[in-house]
């Protein structure tokens, strides 16, 4: 008996023993290397060298010599397989200690086969979609020797003006955390083989909270907001094993994030127990100078070093100054050794020391059918149906269609932001695919690109519209209008798209509006022109086939909004998990600006928190999206109305598919902690499930709520679980659902 217990305990402990054996081996190797490396070689490991796009032509002798001398730990944007192989060979065979290089690239939502933009992937609310994107990206990128991607971007975004909302996982910490884990699993794949990419959780920290949605801008954040909203996806990524983190460009409460001891040591290392390495963003270390935090480059190196920033991307403050700072005693060798060890340990864990120099096998992997299929599936799962008047969708196949709009045949733009390597020649556009599938379609773009202000194409578009039964208008934004440094103060359709839509409306033909964009678009001026509205984001390589399947009803649009959709930019930032305020907006007292009686007395309208013009509700709430079927939620039931702090609670609902086709609904569970020691949001997403149901069938959907899901962080950064009343909703989005409540007691 005693023996068998010991044996099973031993078997249970085996994986942990193996890990600690590995880490012992790693430590020995690291100590051994550190004892032999010169100061210059150590500083070299902290350098991420590269170019802004790619090395053109051959590699310079100077570049190769830098590797030979051990003056770089990683290389960015060298994109030819043979060049990476040559540099790695130099590092392994000609540098003194044979330490391998990590080759890095921004592989954000696909390498060659491009998936929907990350905000679109978030709209799938589906971890396997995010996983597939990361896995396919890794397989394609690693085929030429890339082993590190600067993804996933995990900045919570509440502001549609911010260009980088396109790269984000949306506004909700739970959804972003689920996606974070899936991306890390897909990229790193537990470093099982050489198709794994080192992932990089970015941008640490608070980058999405920049004032006014202006990129790189100032962030003021308190502990509670950071720990409840912005930190959870990073925590999830680190728990999933993310081995690198990128520090952000923004300042955070007056200190640039790339030189913030609080963020990089206290939060990241101490609280999240991160044991990989931190890389700066592009020059973000030396940007501490224009921020007004560092006096000069040497001071910048000192501040970032002391804050615990391990690797410097592109700027050269460490290379230029760390040696002097060590020699004059400003910084210590022991701290340098910790940083070098962080980088070496990561290289060991990802198996880089043992990895053979890659042979280019990209030819068999780029745009493989299986990859294209996954990209198509992801595009379908990301599309969100916002409006479907009189069930105009799915399309009736006998209808003659006029396909119009600047994004209908925009192979580059439908790939979206951050697609350095996807080739537009491989993109299948709607215009191309629809015309191949049916002769019921005639195509006239009307406008040739999203910002086009010429009316030259109108006549052709209007003629084709008049000769058809229905118009599909594919509009939106070119890829360049979202992404880094591409914020907009006005988020309406650019160019003359609104005007063209108005002209098309005058033909009397029904209009299906498909939007391809990197952010929610203000629909205030055009919503009434469209009978159906479908958000396709920038859908990637397979956008055309995916859209065809969705519009014709072969598939359903399965996406749900991962961000609140504002009526106008002026409503931003706008998010569902807002605070109630002391004077919450209220439809019974709200008077729209044009309904205010002339000469109305100052406080005659009530004093609540709203805009006189755009009110207080969004155009579409977080979590929203329609099906081609219809669902009814009924019989909300709680296993008990009182739980102790160690109990759990089962909540269930009856979901009925009342429509005529099989369909999937996203059942969402929200809670509200009614009274807290600090005020709590009006709603918080706590769980969700995709439920597929045949036509005219129902099922019971159950969730279990554990006390841990009811906790929050207070202004001192302490985790709290407070007794009291909680409201609970189960429904199809954040603005509707059945409501009940329960009490948590001590
Ligand atoms: C700047 C961006 O902020 C970051 O996301 C990206 O990974 C780096 N540049 C490298 O290109």
């Amino acid at each position: 008996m005693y023996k068998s217990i010991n044996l099973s305990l031993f078997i249970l402990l085996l994986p942990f023993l193996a890990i600690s054996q590995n880490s012992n081996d790693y430590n020995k190797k690291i100590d051994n290397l550190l004892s032999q490396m010169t100061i210059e070689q150590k500083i070299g490991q902290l350098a991420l060298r590269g170019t802004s796009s790619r090395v053109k032509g051959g590699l310079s002798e100077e570049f190769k010599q830098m590797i030979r001398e051990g003056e770089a730990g990683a290389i960015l944007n060298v994109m030819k397989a043979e060049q990476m192989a040559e540099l790695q060979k130099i590092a392994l065979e000609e540098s003194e200690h044979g330490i391998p290089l990590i080759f890095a690239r921004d592989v954000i939502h696909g390498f060659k086969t491009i998936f929907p933009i990350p905000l679109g992937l978030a709209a799938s609310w589906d971890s396997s979609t995010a996983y597939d994107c990361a896995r396919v990206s890794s397989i394609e990128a690693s085929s030429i020797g890339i082993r590190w991607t600067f993804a996933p971007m995990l900045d919570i975004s509440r502001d549609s003006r911010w260009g980088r909302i396109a790269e984000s996982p949306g506004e909700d910490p739970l959804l972003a955390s689920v996606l974070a884990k899936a991306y890390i699993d897909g990229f790193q794949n537990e470093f099982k083989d050489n198709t794994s990419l080192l992932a990089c959780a970015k941008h640490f920290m608070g980058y999405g909270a920049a004032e006014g949605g202006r990129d790189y801008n100032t962030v003021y954040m308190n502990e509670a907001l950071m720990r409840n909203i912005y930190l959870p996806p990073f925590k999830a990524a680190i728990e999933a094993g993310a081995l690198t983190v990128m520090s952000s460009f923004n300042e955070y409460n007056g200190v640039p994030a790339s030189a913030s001891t609080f963020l990089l040591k206290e939060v990241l290392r101490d609280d999240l127990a991160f044991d990989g390495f931190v890389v700066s963003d592009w020059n973000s270390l030396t940007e501490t100078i224009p921020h007004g935090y560092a006096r000069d480059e040497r001071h910048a190196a000192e501040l970032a070093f002391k804050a615990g920033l391990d690797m410097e991307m592109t700027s050269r403050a460490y290379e230029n100054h760390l040696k002097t700072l060590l020699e004059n005693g400003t910084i210590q060798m022991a701290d340098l050794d910790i940083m070098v060890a962080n980088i070496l340990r990561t290289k060991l864990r990802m198996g880089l020391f043992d990895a053979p120099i890659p042979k280019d096998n990209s030819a068999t992997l780029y745009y493989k059918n299986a990859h294209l299929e996954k990209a198509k599936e992801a595009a379908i799962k990301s599309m969100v149906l916002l409006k479907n008047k009189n069930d105009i969708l799915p399309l009736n196949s006998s209808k003659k269609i006029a396909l119009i709009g600047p994004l209908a045949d925009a192979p580059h733009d439908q790939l979206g932001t951050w697609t350095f390597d996807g080739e537009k020649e491989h993109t299948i556009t709607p215009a191309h695919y629809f015309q191949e599938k049916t002769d019921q379609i005639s195509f006239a773009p009307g406008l040739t690109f999203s910002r086009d202000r010429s009316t030259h194409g109108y006549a052709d578009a209007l003629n084709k519209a008049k000769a058809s039964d229905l118009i599909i208008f594919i509009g939106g934004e070119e890829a360049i209008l979202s992404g880094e440094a591409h914020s907009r103060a006005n988020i309406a359709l650019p160019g003359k798209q609104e005007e063209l839509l108005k002209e098309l409306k005058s033909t009397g033909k029904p209009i299906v509006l498909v939007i391809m964009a990197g952010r929610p678009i203000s629909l205030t001026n055009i919503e009434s022109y469209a009978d159906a509205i479908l958000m396709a984001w920038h859908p990637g390589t397979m956008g055309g086939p995916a859209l065809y399947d969705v519009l014709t009803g072969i598939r359903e649009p399965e996406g749900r909004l991962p961000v609140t959709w504002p009526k106008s930019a002026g409503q931003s930032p706008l998010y569902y998990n807002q605070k109630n305020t002391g004077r919450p907006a209220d439809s019974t007292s709200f008077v729209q600006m044009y309904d205010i009686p002339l000469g109305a007395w100052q406080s005659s309208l009530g004093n609540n928190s709203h805009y006189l013009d755009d009110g207080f509700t969004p155009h579409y709430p977080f979590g929203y999206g329609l099906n081609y079927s219809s669902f009814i939620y009924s019989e909300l039931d709680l296993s008990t109305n009182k739980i102790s702090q160690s109990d759990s609670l089962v909540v269930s609902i009856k979901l009925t598919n009342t429509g005529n086709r099989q369909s999937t609904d996203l059942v969402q569970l929200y809670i509200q902690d009614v009274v807290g020691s600090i005020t709590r949001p009006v709603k918080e997403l706590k769980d969700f499930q995709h439920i597929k149901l045949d036509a005219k069938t129902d099922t019971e959907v159950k969730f279990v709520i554990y006390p841990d899901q009811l906790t929050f962080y207070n202004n001192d950064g302490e985790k709290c679980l407070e007794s009291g009343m909680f409201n609970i909703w189960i429904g199809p989005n954040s603005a509707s659902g059945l409501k009940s409540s329960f009490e948590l007691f001590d």
Side-chain angles (χ1 to χ4, degrees), residues 106 150 164 202-203 207 246 249 281-282 313 418 484:
D106 285 287
F150 300 130
R164 302 198 84 167
K202 72 185 188 185
H203 306 83
Y207 186 36
M246 187 185 292
F249 285 126
D281 202 341
W282 191 278
M313 189 193 294
W418 284 111
E484 185 178 347

Side-chain angles (χ1 to χ4, degrees), residues 74-111:
I75 302 288
L76 168 65
N77 292 341
V78 170
M79 289 302 295
K80 286 191 182 143
E82 65 276 13
Q83 291 179 338
M84 280 185 262
E86 186 184 352
L87 292 176
Q88 194 67 297
K89 202 159 182 299
I90 296 174
L92 291 172
E93 295 172 9
E94 297 176 38
S95 76
E96 193 180 343
H97 304 293
I99 301 172
L101 297 161
I102 322 177
F103 291 97
R105 180 72 164 170
D106 285 287
V107 183
I108 307 296
H109 53 110
F111 183 61

Side-chain angles (χ1 to χ4, degrees), residues 97-390:
H97 304 293
I99 301 172
L101 297 161
I102 322 177
F103 291 97
R105 180 72 164 170
D106 285 287
V107 183
I108 307 296
H109 53 110
F111 183 61
K112 293 289 172 179
T113 304
I114 301 297
F115 283 64
I117 53 168
L119 190 60
L121 292 170
S124 73
W125 290 55
D126 179 31
S127 53
S128 63
T129 300
Y131 174 88
D132 285 346
C133 170
R135 198 79 283 280
V136 167
S137 306
S138 303
I139 292 169
E140 292 189 354
S142 63
S143 71
I144 54 165
I146 294 165
R147 294 303 306 276
W148 186 15
T149 178
F150 300 130
M153 194 268 226
L154 299 176
D155 300 306
I156 294 291
S157 309
R158 297 172 149 187
D159 196 323
S160 296
R161 293 170 296 182
W162 193 42
R164 302 198 84 167
I165 195 172
E167 290 172 63
S168 85
E171 75 186 33
D172 182 72
L174 173 71
L175 176 58
S177 300
V178 168
L179 296 167
K181 175 173 167 33
Y183 283 125
I184 302 303
D185 290 348
F187 284 129
Q188 296 194 165
N189 199 27
E190 295 176 357
F191 300 109
K192 283 187 199 134
D193 57 35
N194 296 335
T195 68
S196 304
L197 295 191
L198 189 57
C200 184
K202 72 185 188 185
H203 306 83
F204 202 74
M205 166 84 230
Y207 186 36
E211 278 180 353
R214 290 185 289 276
D215 211 356
Y216 315 121
N217 228 275
T218 307
V219 171
Y220 284 107
M221 179 82 71
N222 84 344
E223 279 289 300
L225 184 62
M226 185 265 277
R227 291 185 192 272
N228 291 322
I229 303 292
Y230 289 89
L231 191 62
F234 288 94
K235 183 167 185 283
I238 288 161
E239 282 169 4
L243 285 185
T244 73
V245 165
M246 187 185 292
S247 64
S248 52
F249 285 126
N250 55 284
E251 66 159 76
Y252 182 100
N253 296 340
V255 178
S258 295
S260 166
T261 306
F262 168 68
L263 291 177
L264 302 184
K265 286 198 168 152
E266 291 177 34
V267 180
L268 189 59
R269 297 283 180 192
D270 299 347
D271 298 348
L272 300 190
F274 175 64
D275 65 353
F277 71 84
V278 183
V279 62
S280 76
D281 202 341
W282 191 278
N283 289 351
S284 68
L285 193 157
T286 48
E287 285 174 16
T288 55
I289 305 167
H291 269 295
Y293 189 64
R295 289 184 299 275
D296 51 27
E297 196 185 67
R298 179 183 298 186
H299 193 210
E302 176 193 334
L303 292 169
F305 182 93
K306 287 184 171 164
L309 184 93
D310 300 302
M311 189 181 271
E312 181 178 9
M313 189 193 294
T314 57
S315 54
R316 297 189 170 207
Y318 279 0
E319 180 182 301
N320 295 340
H321 304 288
L322 285 192
K323 191 168 179 205
T324 316
L325 291 169
L326 279 166
E327 284 166 356
N328 69 21
T330 310
I331 60 170
Q332 307 309 315
M333 183 65 84
D335 293 323
L336 175 60
D337 284 352
I338 291 174
M339 288 177 169
V340 178
N342 289 338
I343 293 163
L344 294 177
R345 193 181 326 106
T346 303
K347 291 182 176 183
L348 284 161
R349 282 171 163 177
M350 65 186 286
L352 208 57
F353 280 85
D354 310 316
I357 291 173
K359 290 205 178 56
D360 179 357
N361 61 343
S362 57
T364 56
L365 295 172
Y366 288 173
Y367 305 110
K368 234 175 111 169
N369 275 343
H371 297 178
L372 294 173
E373 272 312 307
K374 288 203 184 308
K376 178 181 169 190
E377 187 64 24
I380 289 171
K381 290 202 162 141
S382 73
M383 289 182 188
V384 187
L385 183 60
L386 299 172
K387 177 177 180 182
N388 196 12
K389 196 166 128 195
N390 303 328

Side-chain angles (χ1 to χ4, degrees), residues 647-719:
D647 284 344
S648 61
L649 167 75
V650 180
V651 199
S652 64
I653 194 148
K654 183 173 160 194
L655 181 71
T656 310
N657 179 353
T658 53
N660 294 322
R661 59 182 283 160
Q662 187 189 64
S663 183
T664 301
D665 210 23
L666 181 73
V667 181
Q668 301 162 39
L669 180 143
Y670 295 87
I671 62 129
Q672 180 193 21
D673 183 353
V674 182
V675 177
S677 56
I678 59 168
T679 60
R680 309 290 302 120
V682 291
K683 272 186 186 176
E684 293 174 89
L685 180 73
K686 289 295 164 186
D687 210 344
F688 56 89
Q689 291 179 41
H690 289 96
I691 304 290
K692 187 186 262 188
L693 277 183
D694 286 335
K696 312 281 181 215
T697 60
D698 59 61
T699 191
E700 187 188 31
V701 184
K702 276 191 183 170
F703 294 94
V704 183
I705 299 179
Y706 297 96
D708 196 49
Q709 291 168 284
L710 308 176
T711 58
F712 64 93
Y713 289 90
N714 66 17
N715 285 334
D716 297 323
E718 295 157 349
K719 195 172 178 180

